[in-house]
């Protein structure tokens, strides 16, 4: 197995949309890790990879309102979204609008603020578990 760096494709200013985006396949599942990527970065990624799909999405920017846009989710078609956010964080991540976009698309969500650490394991197929 391997991870590929898909983004960024140019030098930026160090903001959220300069997050490294990693893509990989393992045991029949595809993973996309988006760091703090927001809508503008998602649009650049989709333009560079118009056929990109990912079964498991690590949601950008802690599930903020500006991440996981409708167009991005519609292209990727993930079945599972992982949201890394601290419990009772001052930014109130993940945002309710983002969670609604997941729900409308029947995307299962695991959140570190509610579920604890998220772990995938398996030899022939994946299973996920959360650890508090």
């Amino acid at each position: 197995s391997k991870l590929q760096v898909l983004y960024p494709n140019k030098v930026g200013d160090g903001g959220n949309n300069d997050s490294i985006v990693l893509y990989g396949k393992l045991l029949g599942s595809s993973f996309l890790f988006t760091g703090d990527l927001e809508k503008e970065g998602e649009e650049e990624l989709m333009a560079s990879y118009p056929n990109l799909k990912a079964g498991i999405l690590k949601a950008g920017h802690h599930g903020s309102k500006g991440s996981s846009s409708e167009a991005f989710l519609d292209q990727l078609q993930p079945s599972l979204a992982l949201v890394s956010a601290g419990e009772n964080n001052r930014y109130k991540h993940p945002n309710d609008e983002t969670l609604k976009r997941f729900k409308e698309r029947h995307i299962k969500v695991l959140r570190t603020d509610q579920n604890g650490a998220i772990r995938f394991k398996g030899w022939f197929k994946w299973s996920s578990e959360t650890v508090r």
Side-chain angles (χ1 to χ4, degrees), residues 36-38 60-68 93-95 98 101:
D36 276 347
L37 203 64
E38 295 179 328
H61 199 190
H62 315 285
S64 72
K65 183 177 178 180
S67 69
S68 301
H93 291 147
N95 184 274
T98 303
R101 288 192 290 272

Side-chain angles (χ1 to χ4, degrees), residues 5-131:
V5 177
L6 299 185
Y7 184 89
N9 50 19
K10 64 182 186 283
V11 175
D13 62 6
N16 288 341
N17 284 315
D18 290 331
S19 291
I20 292 176
V21 175
L22 300 174
Y23 175 81
K25 287 185 177 182
L26 185 62
L27 297 179
S29 296
S30 54
F31 294 79
L32 187 69
F33 301 95
T34 59
D36 276 347
L37 203 64
E38 295 179 328
K39 184 178 181 181
E40 297 79 16
E42 293 172 355
E43 289 171 351
E44 287 184 40
L45 187 65
M46 288 187 296
S48 296
Y49 301 95
N51 298 315
L52 183 64
K53 304 282 186 220
I56 300 168
L57 169 67
K58 186 279 181 186
H61 199 190
H62 315 285
S64 72
K65 183 177 178 180
S67 69
S68 301
S69 68
E70 291 180 351
F72 193 58
L73 296 175
D74 289 345
Q75 178 178 319
L76 293 178
Q77 300 177 353
S79 58
L80 176 63
L82 310 174
V83 178
S84 176
E87 193 171 7
N88 300 318
N89 66 83
R90 65 181 173 189
Y91 301 104
K92 305 207 184 309
H93 291 147
N95 184 274
D96 287 339
E97 288 182 39
T98 303
L99 294 173
K100 182 180 175 190
R101 288 192 290 272
F102 293 141
K103 185 175 183 178
E104 289 171 347
R105 288 159 182 80
H106 308 287
I107 300 168
K108 181 181 175 182
V109 177
L110 292 177
R111 301 169 44 171
T112 58
D113 62 328
Q114 293 181 345
N115 305 108
I118 302 164
R119 178 170 50 195
F120 288 86
K121 61 183 189 174
W123 288 103
F124 302 104
K125 72 177 205 170
W126 287 113
S127 65
S128 64
E129 64 184 19
T130 56
V131 182

